[in-house]
Amino acid sequence: MKKLLTLLAAALAFNAHAAEKLTVAATAVPHAEILEFVKPILAKEGVDLDIKVFTDYVQPNTQVAEKRLDANFFQHKPYLTEFNKGKGTNLVPVVGVHVEPFGAYSSKVKKLADLTDGATVAIPNDATNGGRALLLLDKEGVIKLKDSNNILATPKDIAQNPKHLKFRELEAATLPRVLNQVDLALINTNYALQAKLNPTRDALAIEGAQSPYVNYLVARPDNKDSDAMKKLAAALTSPETKKFIQDKYKGAVVPAF
């Protein structure tokens, strides 16, 4: 009987440990890399972190909302707000981790002032990142928006376009691949890093470190306060993770904690 009770206790302990598994969606760089860094930390705390890498900004949210995944790590609050509004979901931010300063890149000109009349500019086709791109161009004096605080600005909101720039709105993930086909592309840092672009060296213009576009760990209301999620949030905002981000990305990704 004593042996049976011991085996039963061991089985219960194993099941409790197994229940601490977390499956998290992420884009490859830097999100999945940061999650890989904290994975062994979580393992010591009894959390098995399963990282699923995605190349788009839609499925990570859809699959969390449908409870196929536990959480995701790839987006800032403005994007999350617009996604929830447009898709009828109720995903929630858990903790802010880092900022990826948004940049403008070109394989044809060395500075923004060299853009020719009628040049083609590619920007993300989702509302928040498209607006973010236009706000950066407004800040740099390339265009003038009707409202320089409108985070959802589109090309229709441009009040002044002295160089008659032509805007192409494309899926964010494709922008590095069309860089040699356009005169300028406004690229999210995670995709820039994947394409071996160095934002601090290659960007003709880049957001400051105080950008409001902090990237968050995102979950659902029903699991955002689970023990495993709290452990993941703590690991992502630990001093060790801050040092990892600073050492690895050297300013291309900036800790927000």
Side-chain angles (χ1 to χ4, degrees):
M1 177 62 74
K2 186 175 180 181
K3 184 176 181 181
L4 180 61
L5 289 173
T6 301
L7 289 172
L8 180 60
L12 289 172
F14 175 79
N15 287 335
H17 173 76
E20 287 285 290
K21 182 175 181 178
L22 269 184
T23 304
V24 181
T27 44
V29 182
H31 305 85
E33 292 176 341
I34 296 172
L35 289 172
E36 288 289 355
F37 174 77
V38 303
K39 186 171 183 174
I41 298 173
L42 290 170
K44 292 178 182 177
E45 298 183 21
V47 177
D48 178 14
L49 183 62
D50 183 13
I51 304 161
K52 302 292 187 184
V53 177
F54 287 78
T55 59
D56 73 291
Y57 287 167
V58 176
Q59 284 303 310
N61 275 340
T62 300
Q63 294 196 28
V64 172
E66 294 174 349
K67 298 188 178 183
R68 288 189 277 165
L69 300 172
D70 298 307
N72 64 53
F73 178 37
F74 75 97
Q75 66 194 311
H76 48 65
K77 269 187 181 177
Y79 181 86
L80 175 62
T81 298
E82 285 304 303
F83 188 94
N84 279 334
K85 188 186 302 181
K87 303 293 186 181
T89 49
N90 187 31
L91 301 176
V92 293
V94 177
V95 68
V97 180
H98 69 268
V99 173
E100 300 169 21
F102 199 83
Y105 301 85
S106 177
S107 61
K108 298 182 180 179
V109 298
K110 298 296 184 183
K111 54 183 184 292
L112 293 177
D114 293 339
L115 287 170
T116 58
D117 192 82
T120 300
V121 178
I123 65 174
N125 65 358
D126 64 274
T128 50
N129 286 306
R132 188 178 181 184
L134 294 175
L135 287 176
L136 179 58
L137 293 178
D138 176 272
K139 179 177 176 291
E140 295 294 324
V142 177
I143 59 171
K144 183 67 177 175
L145 292 171
K146 296 172 185 175
D147 178 2
S148 58
N149 294 311
N150 180 12
I151 64 171
L152 299 179
T154 72
K156 294 179 181 178
D157 296 308
I158 298 173
Q160 297 175 30
N161 184 6
K163 292 199 173 184
H164 308 99
L165 302 176
K166 298 173 184 175
F167 289 89
R168 291 179 59 188
E169 297 173 89
L170 304 171
E171 185 180 346
T174 68
L175 292 172
R177 299 200 292 272
V178 303
L179 187 56
N180 63 352
Q181 301 170 31
V182 298
D183 297 290
L184 188 73
L186 283 291
I187 304 175
N188 296 75
T189 290
N190 59 312
Y191 292 132
L193 292 172
Q194 281 180 252
K196 308 302 181 185
L197 292 168
N198 183 324
T200 57
R201 182 192 66 223
D202 299 324
L204 306 189
I206 194 167
E207 290 174 334
Q210 300 306 312
S211 165
Y213 295 92
V214 176
N215 280 220
Y216 277 76
L217 173 67
V218 169
R220 298 183 305 274
D222 68 281
N223 70 351
K224 69 181 180 68
D225 294 319
S226 70
D227 287 343
M229 198 71 69
K230 286 179 179 178
K231 289 175 181 177
L232 174 56
L236 285 172
T237 54
S238 67
E240 294 82 3
T241 301
K242 176 179 279 191
K243 186 176 187 304
F244 170 78
I245 292 172
Q246 291 170 332
D247 291 348
K248 182 171 180 63
Y249 302 109
K250 304 185 187 305
V253 179
V254 182
F257 55 92

